[in-house]
Each structure stands twice: as structure tokens, then as C-alpha cells.
């Protein structure tokens, strides 16, 4: 049994196709098939049910894949140990960022990080929280930046910052004349929200439900981007809530529609998350130091109440 064979097993399990798995592993399909057959002969079990289309794991195959991921991850720790011993901070690093954090946070830290750690090759993807959790568990991401707490098994969280919610309330709205707003002022059926699948949306729903027994089936409008929510709000279709960092980029006329909450401000917790195996910790530590240092100058709010990003 070899690490290479286990890597092939994982690839086939994920792609459910020998040809696609071979492409992913940069080998020919016959080479991959031969190695899998040798492994099955050695173990005297079938890992894959080849009669199914797409290919499926057998019952014992599912257990083998789960253990194979652990073994492959642990094997990668050897190079990781060597890198840490040498003080080397470099190499490819795959990181996912949720959509409501990506456009504001990335421009703030990326240039500074690249300048300080030029040997690190960041591969950045914009992904939903569910996609991030899956990819971290499957070993396709080294880390991610997401709203927490997620309380997900095998994933560790390190807080980067706390970001308050800010009300965006256009003129003629019932709350426009209030200097500050309270959570009890919010009505779900008066709220413009992001489409299903965004944890920021779930955080707002949880925020509203914390004070009132409200049904979340009667939203007026939903959108895929915060920018669109602002435009819809300006058309008089309702109010919305924005992450604090998004408010910094608004022009002066739009900033006139911002309404802060009375303290403690409802806020989301944003963290860097990674697998409990703690691979590439020197890069994770470097990212944490750079991002938290930069963000401290942008967010000065201290008295906040964290709202869960998970649906309730």
C-alpha cells in the first residue's frame, strides 16, 4: 500500500470517474486503474462498485476513503515539519473566502501580505460557507475566511475581527428619522436580503427572530450581491443591513442612509478556519497576523453582540 495509491482512491471517490481522477492526478487512466486494482488485490476487497454509473464506493470503500484522507493529510505533515524547522514560509496555499467578506477584506490585506511573504503563492476562491467546510474536510483548501462560530467537526477557528451590522435605510422609510436603531425595530418582511446560501442572510434572519416570532417565508426581494440590495433599497423597496466594512466604500450621499445600532451592536465574527490537522500553520499564523493587524485600524467597535451565521 502506498501514499500514491491512497491519493488515487481519494480522487476517484471525489470525481466518481477513473478518467477524470487520472487527469486530476496527472497520470494516465491505465496507470491509475492498475494501481487501484493492485490495492484491491492486496486488501482482498473491492473499494469501488464499477457496475454503477457513476462509480460508487462500496461499504468498506467508504471507510477506506475516510482513513485514506487521514493518512494522506498526515503524510503531508512531514514536509510541513521540515518547513517549520527551517522557518520557511512559502509554497502554494489554497484559501477560500465567503462572498460578503471577499470584496472588502481582500483589497485591504492582499498587497501587504504578498509584499511581506513573497514566497507564498496564494490561490484564492470565493466560496459559500457550505462549500468551504466541504473543501477543507476533503483537503482541497488549506484555510478559509468565514463567519463563525461554525462548530464544525474537524475544523478549527481563530477569530480575526468582529464586524457590526449597519442599517441601510432610505428616505421615506419608517425608520429613516431614527438616529440609531434597535434590533426590535426590524421586520423581516420589510428586509431586503441576500439569496439563500449566504451565511450573512442567515445571520440577519437569526437577528430578527431573536426578538420576534417572525416567518421568513415572505421576503419582498432577494439578491445575489450587497450592491444590488443597496440599489433596490434606494428604489424604495425596503431596508437592508450591511457589514460594516462595506459601508466604508459608500459615497457621501449613500452614507446619509446609514443607521447604526444602539450598543451592544449586533455583529458577525469573522475567523480564519482550517483543518484540525493544522497543516501549513506558519502560513496561517502569518495570514492571521497581517489581517488582524490591518483590520484593527478599520474597525474600532468593541461593544458588540455576536450573531450566529448558522440558520436556526
Amino acid at each position: 500500500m502506498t501514499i500514491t495509491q491512497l491519493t488515487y482512491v481519494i480522487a476517484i471517490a471525489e470525481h466518481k470517474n477513473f478518467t477524470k481522477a487520472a487527469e486530476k492526478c496527472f497520470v494516465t487512466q491505465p496507470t491509475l486503474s492498475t494501481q487501484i486494482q493492485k490495492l484491491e488485490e492486496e486488501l482482498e476487497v473491492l473499494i469501488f462498485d464499477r457496475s454503477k454509473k457513476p462509480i460508487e464506493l462500496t461499504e468498506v470503500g467508504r471507510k477506506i476513503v475516510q482513513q485514506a484522507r487521514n493518512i494522506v493529510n498526515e503524510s503531508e505533515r512531514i514536509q510541513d515539519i521540515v518547513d517549520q524547522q527551517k522557518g520557511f514560509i512559502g509554497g502554494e496555499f489554497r484559501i477560500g473566502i465567503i462572498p460578503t467578506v471577499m470584496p472588502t477584506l481582500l483589497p485591504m490585506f492582499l498587497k501587504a501580505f504578498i509584499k511581506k511573504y513573497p514566497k507564498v503563492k496564494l490561490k484564492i476562491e470565493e466560496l459559500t460557507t457550505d462549500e468551504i467546510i466541504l473543501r477543507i474536510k476533503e483537503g482541497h483548501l488549506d484555510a478559509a475566511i468565514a463567519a463563525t462560530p461554525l462548530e464544525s467537526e474537524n475544523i478549527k477557528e481563530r477569530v480575526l475581527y468582529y464586524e457590526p451590522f449597519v442599517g441601510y435605510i432610505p428616505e421615506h422609510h419608517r425608520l429613516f428619522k431614527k438616529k440609531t436603531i434597535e434590533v426590535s425595530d426590524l421586520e423581516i418582511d420589510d428586509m431586503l436580503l441576500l439569496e439563500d446560501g449566504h451565511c450573512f442572510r442567515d445571520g440577519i434572519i437569526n437577528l430578527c427572530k431573536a426578538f420576534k416570532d417572525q416567518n421568513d417565508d415572505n421576503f419582498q426581494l432577494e439578491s445575489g450581491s450587497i450592491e444590488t440590495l443597496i440599489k433596490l433599497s434606494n428604489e424604495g423597496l425596503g431596508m437592508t443591513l450591511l457589514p460594516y466594512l462595506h459601508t466604508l466604500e459608500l459615497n457621501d450621499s449613500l452614507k446619509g442612509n446609514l443607521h447604526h445600532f444602539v450598543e451592544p451592536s449586533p455583529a458577525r465574527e469573522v475567523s480564519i478556519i482550517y483543518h484540525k490537522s493544522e497543516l501549513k500553520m506558519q502560513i496561517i499564523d502569518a495570514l492571521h497576523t497581517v489581517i488582524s493587524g490591518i483590520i484593527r485600524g478599520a474597525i474600532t467597535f468593541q461593544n458588540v453582540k455576536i450573531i450566529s451565521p448558522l440558520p436556526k
Side-chain angles (χ1 to χ4, degrees):
M1 186 187 307
T2 67
I3 297 296
T4 299
Q5 288 173 330
L6 296 181
T7 302
Y8 293 167
V9 167
I10 294 169
I12 297 168
E14 290 172 358
H15 293 281
K16 299 180 180 180
N17 182 283
F18 276 71
T19 302
K20 289 181 180 178
E23 291 174 357
K24 181 71 176 178
C25 296
F26 303 104
V27 296
T28 64
Q29 193 267 334
T31 298
L32 181 136
S33 296
T34 299
Q35 289 301 316
I36 295 301
Q37 187 175 348
K38 285 183 178 180
L39 180 59
E40 288 179 323
E41 289 173 355
E42 178 184 343
L43 297 175
E44 297 183 346
V45 297
L46 286 177
I47 300 173
F48 300 99
D49 184 348
R50 294 163 176 78
S51 67
K52 302 286 180 66
K53 300 293 181 183
I55 292 169
E56 292 183 5
L57 287 162
T58 61
E59 185 176 346
V60 70
R62 283 192 289 272
K63 296 177 182 178
I64 289 171
V65 168
Q66 185 176 357
Q67 187 61 29
R69 286 198 175 103
N70 294 335
I71 293 169
V72 171
N73 279 338
E74 287 302 311
S75 71
E76 291 175 354
R77 288 184 65 83
I78 295 174
Q79 185 61 52
D80 201 49
I81 289 168
V82 173
D83 288 344
Q84 290 189 47
Q85 181 67 28
K86 293 179 177 178
F88 176 71
I89 301 178
E92 183 178 284
F93 192 83
R94 303 158 300 175
I95 185 167
I97 307 178
I98 59 173
T100 57
V101 167
M102 180 90 135
T104 52
L105 182 62
L106 194 60
M108 294 177 73
F109 83 86
L110 186 58
K111 187 175 180 179
F113 183 83
I114 291 173
K115 184 176 181 181
K116 190 169 184 179
Y117 301 102
K119 293 181 180 179
V120 177
K121 183 182 177 183
L122 290 178
K123 294 188 71 175
I124 304 167
E125 288 186 82
E126 184 177 285
L127 301 165
T128 66
T129 302
D130 288 342
E131 290 171 329
I132 281 170
I133 291 172
L134 179 62
R135 294 200 188 193
I136 288 178
K137 288 182 175 179
E138 291 184 345
H140 296 312
L141 285 179
D142 297 306
I145 297 173
T148 53
L150 296 174
E151 299 174 356
S152 181
E153 188 180 0
N154 298 326
I155 290 180
K156 292 193 171 186
E157 305 172 359
R158 287 178 66 185
V159 177
L160 290 168
Y161 58 92
Y162 300 105
E163 183 175 26
F165 293 83
V166 180
Y168 185 86
I169 305 172
E171 198 174 354
H172 306 307
H173 189 277
R174 60 184 175 84
L175 298 177
F176 181 76
K177 292 184 179 179
K178 294 194 69 170
K179 289 185 177 180
T180 57
I181 57 176
E182 301 180 46
V183 174
S184 57
D185 291 327
L186 305 179
E187 299 280 354
I188 280 190
D189 58 4
D190 185 35
M191 192 81 62
L192 301 172
L193 296 178
L194 291 171
E195 292 171 348
D196 198 11
H198 289 269
C199 61
F200 191 73
R201 163 204 168 101
D202 292 327
I204 293 174
I205 292 172
N206 292 341
L207 178 62
C208 293
K209 285 185 172 181
F211 281 78
K212 297 178 183 179
D213 184 16
Q214 300 191 40
N215 189 337
D216 60 353
D217 294 331
N218 55 350
F219 299 135
Q220 285 186 307
L221 285 169
E222 299 178 357
S223 169
S225 73
I226 287 177
E227 289 71 22
T228 302
L229 291 181
I230 292 172
K231 291 178 181 178
L232 294 172
S233 185
N234 289 336
E235 293 296 322
L237 296 171
M239 65 168 289
T240 192
L241 296 183
L242 306 177
Y244 176 74
L245 290 179
H246 279 262
T247 69
L248 302 180
E249 299 177 350
L250 298 179
N251 60 45
D252 291 340
S253 63
L254 296 181
K255 283 183 178 179
N257 294 332
L258 297 177
H259 291 64
H260 293 281
F261 283 89
V262 296
E263 293 188 347
S265 300
R268 64 174 176 175
E269 179 183 87
V270 177
S271 303
I272 186 164
I273 66 175
Y274 49 92
H275 197 274
K276 69 174 185 180
S277 60
E278 298 188 353
L279 289 168
K280 303 184 181 180
M281 280 306 299
Q282 67 274 33
I283 300 178
I284 291 171
D285 290 340
L287 279 166
H288 187 277
T289 299
V290 170
I291 294 172
S292 58
I294 287 173
I295 216 72
R296 246 180 255 123
I299 299 180
T300 56
F301 290 84
Q302 300 296 327
N303 190 9
V304 296
K305 179 182 179 182
I306 305 305
I307 305 300
S308 172
L310 302 175
K312 289 185 179 179

